[in-house]
Every structure is written in C-alpha cells, then in structure tokens.
C-alpha cells in the first residue's frame, strides 16, 4: 500500500466513524435520554463522588485521589481499546459520545478503589483486590448488562476480574508504597 492510499483509507475510516458517532448521538438523544436507565447512569456519576467527598479521610485525600486517578487513566485507556475492538459497548450513556462511559470507569471504579484503600488498611491488599475484581466482574458488570448500560460482545468476565484485581493492586502500591515528598518552598 502506498502512502497516499493509506491517507485515503484513513479519510474513509474517519467518515465512517463520524457517521457511526452520529447514529449513537441520535439513539441516545431520541431513545435513551431521561429513561430510568439513563437516570441510573447519572446517579452512578454523581452519587459515588458525593459519598467520597463526605467520608474521605481529608488528610489523605490527595494520596487516595492519586490511586483513584490511576484507575481512571488505566480504565479509560483499556476501555477505549476494548470498545474500539468490539469487545464490549455501552448502549446507554449519559453523554452522547461513542466511546465514553463516565458512569462506570470515571466514577464508580475509582471511588470504590479509593474507599477500599481508605477503610481497613490493614487487610491484606490481595484479599481486597480479589474482592474488588470479583464483585466488579461477576456482579457489577452482569447487573449493568441486565439494564443495558454495558453489553459484553467478545469478552469474558474473567478478563475483567483480572484487570480489576490488577487495578486495585497498582493503586494500593501507589497509595501505600510510593513515597511522596513535600514540595519545597523556594
């Protein structure tokens, strides 16, 4: 394939992506907006962060947020790849954007991780990680699937279990093992 042909193919693909995005926006705005499922997705954005703001350890909130931010970034990257390759999709979204699902990966996942990191810090992190991974993969995702907020296409819940378990362990490492030095005033 020649360079110019590659550019033409990219232009064609972008046109198809734009058309697909328009179809998604149309479905969300005309079929899903303000349905009970849509309101659950809105709640999944607002409620976890509201809970965290009230019950977080204010002295450790920066450190905890670093762990939550790591989960947000990693889940955003992996989720975009999964949607791109057709492993899963998010039929009903709060915001009509093709690959974005704020409800789950940018709210529920990081807040649950931050709360698990904060409470009962002496519990073995592997036990917490396995519990988080199992609950998210084998209970959370099937429940989201039942109400059309998540659609598993070419994916196994066990893969999600492994990924969520690793997410928790990485966050635990960042929060408890990394040393944060104070910023020195000049």
């Amino acid at each position: 394939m020649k360079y110019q042909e590659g550019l033409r193919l990219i232009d064609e693909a972008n046109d198809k992506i734009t058309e697909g995005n328009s179809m998604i926006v149309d479905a969300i705005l005309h079929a899903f907006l303000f349905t009970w499922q849509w309101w659950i997705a809105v709640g999944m954005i607002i409620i976890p962060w509201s809970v965290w703001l009230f019950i977080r350890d204010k002295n450790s909130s920066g450190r905890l947020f670093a762990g939550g931010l790591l989960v947000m970034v990693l889940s955003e990257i992996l989720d975009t790849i999964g949607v791109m390759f057709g492993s899963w999709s998010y039929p009903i979204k709060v915001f009509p954007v093709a690959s974005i699902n704020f409800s789950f990966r940018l709210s529920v996942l990081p807040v649950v991780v931050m709360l698990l990191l904060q409470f009962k810090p002496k519990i073995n992190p592997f036990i917490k990680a396995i519990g988080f991974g199992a609950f998210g993969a084998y209970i959370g995702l099937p429940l989201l699937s039942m109400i059309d907020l998540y659609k598993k296409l070419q994916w196994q819940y066990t893969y999600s279990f492994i990924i969520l378990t690793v997410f928790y362990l990485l966050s635990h490492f960042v929060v408890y093992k990394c040393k944060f030095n104070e910023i020195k005033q000049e």
Side-chain angles (χ1 to χ4, degrees):
M1 172 183 314
K2 303 247 187 240
Y3 184 83
Q4 291 302 324
E5 188 178 337
L7 289 175
R8 186 188 54 75
L9 285 175
I10 293 296
D11 287 343
E12 266 182 55
N14 283 329
D15 289 344
K16 289 179 182 182
I17 289 169
T18 301
E19 183 181 338
N21 287 337
S22 293
M23 293 168 65
I24 289 170
V25 168
D26 190 51
I28 291 169
L29 292 177
H30 298 100
F32 305 139
L33 191 64
F34 304 122
T35 61
W36 65 271
Q37 294 97 329
W38 185 85
W39 284 110
I40 287 175
V42 169
M44 288 172 60
I45 294 171
I46 297 169
I47 294 169
W49 285 110
S50 300
V51 168
W52 188 73
L53 285 173
F54 285 108
I55 66 174
R56 78 187 190 284
D57 177 359
K58 288 163 185 59
N59 294 325
S60 299
S61 50
R63 181 180 290 258
L64 292 169
F65 189 70
L69 186 61
L70 177 66
V71 170
M72 286 190 267
V73 170
L74 292 175
S75 64
E76 182 71 28
I77 291 167
L78 292 179
D79 219 38
T80 300
I81 292 168
V83 169
M84 183 179 80
F85 285 113
S87 298
W88 59 83
S89 68
Y90 299 103
I92 299 174
K93 303 168 188 23
V94 173
F95 303 104
V97 180
S99 65
I100 294 179
N101 178 25
F102 289 104
S103 306
F104 190 61
R105 67 182 179 209
L106 297 180
S107 187
V108 174
L109 286 181
V111 170
V112 169
V113 165
M114 291 185 295
L115 293 175
L116 285 170
L117 290 167
Q118 177 177 324
F119 293 106
K120 302 286 186 189
K122 301 287 186 207
I123 292 178
N124 186 321
F126 289 100
I127 293 171
K128 283 185 172 182
I130 289 168
F132 173 69
F135 187 84
Y138 300 120
I139 296 172
L141 289 176
L143 285 174
L144 291 176
S145 184
M146 287 183 350
I147 61 173
D148 297 323
L149 294 180
Y150 170 79
K151 185 175 184 180
K152 181 173 70 93
L153 301 170
Q154 298 173 14
W155 192 251
Q156 301 298 317
Y157 289 129
T158 301
Y159 303 154
S160 293
F161 165 75
I162 293 166
I163 290 168
L164 292 173
T165 301
V166 170
F167 280 2
Y168 181 83
L169 290 172
L170 289 171
S171 292
H172 182 273
F173 177 79
V174 165
V175 170
Y176 288 108
K177 303 297 183 198
C178 290
K179 302 295 181 205
F180 292 88
N181 293 329
E182 287 190 35
I183 299 173
K184 296 183 178 166
Q185 299 292 330
E186 295 191 56

